[in-house]
Amino acid sequence: MKRTIVPFKKQLKQFKKLVANLSYDSSEKASREIKRLFAQLSFNIPSVYIKSTLVGSTLAIALLSGYNVSAQQFKAPVKNPYGITDNDNVFQPEFMDIDGDGDYDLMTASYYGDHKVYRNIGTKFVPNFDAPTTNPYGLSGSGLQFTLLTSGDIDGDGDVDIFETGFDYYSMGSVDFKFIENTGTATAPAFTGSVNNPFGLTAIASFISMPKLVDIDGDGDLDIIASSFNTTSYSTEYLLYLNAGTASLPSFEPPITNPYNMTVEAPLSFPTFGDLDRDGDLDLYNFDYYGNLTMYRDTSGTTGDPMFTSNGITSPHNIVFSDESVRTGTFIDIDGDNDLDFFASAQTDTSTNEGGIWFFKDTANYLGLPAYQKEELAFSMYPSPATNEINVECTLVADNKTTLVITDAQGRQVYNTELVDSKNNIKLDKLATGIYTIQIENDKYKGTKKFIKQ
């Protein structure tokens, strides 16, 4: 999980100002804004920077205390949500804002190492992924048979870089870290060819490995935790590469094996991290060989020196899979509602040789806040019932991307477009008869209406 400070300076400054001006006479709106900013900031930057702003404000401490989402639960999973349709037989989800438009895009690497980018052409509140593009922005195949990637701004230049390991059939016992630098910009990425083992990294003595960029010690730069399969003991170890450099000039120390009381699952173990209990530190989540998930909480109570529990919680937060598969996963707030959702790879369909992705929508909300409520967007729609077309009219907001989505009675998305005119004629000839919902949404407004297609 990427946790960086620079992009959130504006929000941190606003948070400090609100805390400084908080009083018993403050409006409910001000209190809610403090809670909202606290949730957003604590998801993206180390908690030590946020907690320092609360010193001297007993009101703010009281306002933000007492929230416990350790019982956070997820809805039943949905396969291939938000328009994700093209599936490789190995499907590792990695989310990043690759084009700098404020929402999360999806990158995967296929079994043979090609990179696929699914751009989010919706919004940060209503994601919708375009058809994938193979090896865009100068990317190329990794040369690995089973590529596992992680992303983050390793050099502090404001764009997303990539590290990869995986399964190297030809080396059979040694896996290199492959670094792919983004030499473009946050909005116009341009990736270089991969470089093996930069910044002091060394090859991993394993035939398969998964890397994870994470600020595990809370010092503001990204470290690496990688799984390593030990062929002698037939078990997995976790290797920690602490970044002893800076956020802009990384330098990794020699690896430490199974630090912080990390527990792995036998025989294979793939890690991910998330702070779902909102206590300011990251907890460890392990996938085992069969794709089951186990959570190990950080009980240290401190930032930068984690200590994970020895006894894990299986199927935490109601995350249960109906298939057995070697899988990876990640927590991400995909719909901008201030809670973490969960994505994980699905079992390969032997008849089609295609995999997929499971999506678990979180039913809770950080800090016990209700979901962010947008203002009602008024629009007209005619005729209804409709036959081959329907007309939609609404007022567009300048510099605010507005999308129109049509879903069927089962909630499946059947149409999506970005509105550029206030008057729109939508063809319905490819839709079956039935009841449909039109939703028009931008960052501030949302409107929903139903219509009948005859």
Side-chain angles (χ1 to χ4, degrees):
M1 180 185 295
K2 178 181 175 183
R3 300 179 112 197
T4 182
I5 301 169
V6 175
F8 296 92
K9 280 186 175 179
K10 183 177 179 181
Q11 290 96 324
L12 190 58
K13 183 178 180 180
Q14 183 183 0
F15 181 72
K16 289 179 180 179
K17 183 178 179 180
L18 285 169
V19 169
N21 293 330
L22 186 66
S23 71
Y24 287 103
D25 296 324
S26 297
S27 66
E28 175 64 19
K29 181 179 179 181
S31 300
R32 287 184 58 80
E33 181 66 6
I34 287 176
K35 292 178 181 179
R36 185 190 69 80
L37 284 170
F38 181 85
Q40 181 186 51
L41 289 167
S42 60
F43 172 56
N44 287 283
I45 67 177
S47 61
V48 63
Y49 294 97
I50 311 167
K51 291 177 180 178
S52 64
T53 67
L54 302 178
V55 176
S57 179
T58 55
L59 277 176
I61 293 172
L63 180 67
L64 297 171
S65 66
Y67 295 100
N68 184 355
V69 294
S70 58
Q72 195 169 330
Q73 300 291 302
F74 291 88
K75 295 180 180 179
V78 177
K79 195 172 184 179
N80 298 338
Y82 303 125
I84 299 173
T85 55
D86 185 75
N87 307 325
D88 288 308
N89 60 346
V90 176
F91 198 92
Q92 181 217 350
E94 177 70 11
F95 290 89
M96 63 190 77
D97 185 6
I98 199 166
D99 50 9
D101 62 351
D103 53 37
Y104 286 109
D105 309 294
L106 171 63
M107 180 182 290
T108 69
S110 71
Y111 183 82
Y112 296 104
D114 284 329
H115 301 86
K116 290 189 176 182
V117 174
Y118 301 71
R119 287 189 60 249
N120 186 349
I121 57 176
T123 70
K124 65 180 179 181
F125 298 111
V126 186
N128 179 49
F129 292 97
D130 202 359
T133 303
T134 302
N135 295 328
Y137 310 122
L139 292 166
S140 58
S142 68
L144 300 170
Q145 282 66 54
F146 180 27
T147 303
L148 296 168
L149 62 94
T150 185
S151 63
D153 184 8
I154 193 64
D155 50 10
D157 60 354
D159 54 37
V160 178
D161 308 299
I162 298 170
F163 283 87
E164 294 180 335
T165 56
F167 171 49
D168 191 342
Y169 176 82
Y170 298 101
S171 68
M172 289 303 292
S174 178
V175 179
D176 291 315
F177 286 98
K178 295 180 180 293
F179 172 58
I180 306 173
E181 183 181 3
N182 187 350
T183 58
T185 66
T187 57
F191 292 98
T192 63
S194 64
V195 176
N196 287 351
N197 304 320
F199 312 125
L201 293 168
T202 55
I204 300 173
S206 173
F207 74 89
I208 187 169
S209 175
M210 177 182 175
K212 199 72 177 179
L213 281 169
V214 57
D215 184 10
I216 195 68
D217 55 0
D219 63 351
D221 55 37
L222 291 171
D223 312 297
I224 294 178
I225 291 177
S227 59
S228 172
F229 182 73
N230 188 315
T231 55
T232 302
S233 62
Y234 201 62
S235 63
T236 301
E237 299 170 335
Y238 281 150
L239 303 178
L240 167 64
Y241 298 81
L242 280 174
N243 187 350
T246 66
S248 59
L249 189 62
S251 177
F252 292 100
E253 295 182 346
I256 303 171
T257 302
N258 295 334
Y260 311 126
N261 198 40
M262 282 187 173
T263 302
V264 295
E265 317 301 330
L268 286 176
S269 194
F270 294 134
T272 192
F273 295 88
D275 184 14
L276 274 75
D277 54 9
R278 306 310 298 157
D279 61 352
D281 53 43
L282 296 174
D283 303 307
L284 170 65
Y285 293 80
N286 284 345
F287 284 104
D288 66 15
Y289 180 78
Y290 301 101
N292 300 310
L293 191 66
T294 303
M295 171 192 178
Y296 297 88
R297 291 194 64 225
D298 177 8
T299 58
S300 65
T302 62
T303 301
D305 190 20
M307 180 57 62
F308 297 104
T309 55
S310 298
N311 298 320
I313 301 172
T314 58
S315 303
H317 316 297
N318 200 36
I319 298 176
V320 180
F321 297 95
S322 59
D323 59 344
E324 288 187 357
S325 175
V326 176
R327 75 175 91 245
T328 64
T330 187
F331 295 99
I332 197 79
D333 181 12
I334 194 63
D335 49 9
D337 62 351
N338 285 334
D339 60 38
L340 284 176
D341 308 298
F342 187 58
F343 289 85
S345 50
Q347 182 184 38
T348 301
D349 187 330
T350 55
S351 63
T352 62
N353 201 34
E354 292 182 347
I357 186 170
W358 289 115
F359 170 59
F360 293 79
K361 169 63 182 166
D362 188 10
T363 60
N365 187 272
Y366 289 166
L367 302 176
L369 294 175
Y372 172 69
Q373 298 295 317
K374 298 184 181 182
E375 296 182 44
E376 181 68 22
L377 187 150
F379 67 93
S380 60
M381 174 188 69
Y382 59 92
S384 182
T387 51
N388 292 324
E389 62 182 26
I390 194 167
N391 297 291
V392 176
E393 297 183 7
C394 67
T395 301
L396 300 182
V397 180
D399 300 322
N400 200 332
K401 183 178 179 180
T402 300
T403 59
L404 183 150
V405 176
I406 299 179
T407 54
D408 62 16
Q410 286 73 46
R412 293 173 297 196
Q413 187 177 118
V414 296
Y415 182 84
N416 181 293
T417 188
E418 179 180 353
L419 299 183
V420 295
D421 296 310
S422 58
K423 296 183 179 181
N424 301 270
N425 179 264
I426 301 169
K427 303 300 181 183
L428 305 176
D429 52 299
K430 295 183 179 181
L431 299 185
T433 58
I435 299 175
Y436 292 86
T437 299
I438 286 184
Q439 179 173 288
I440 301 177
E441 185 169 18
N442 55 41
D443 286 352
K444 292 185 177 180
Y445 302 92
K446 181 170 70 174
T448 302
K449 290 186 178 183
K450 294 185 182 295
F451 72 93
I452 298 173
K453 163 68 189 308
Q454 293 182 334

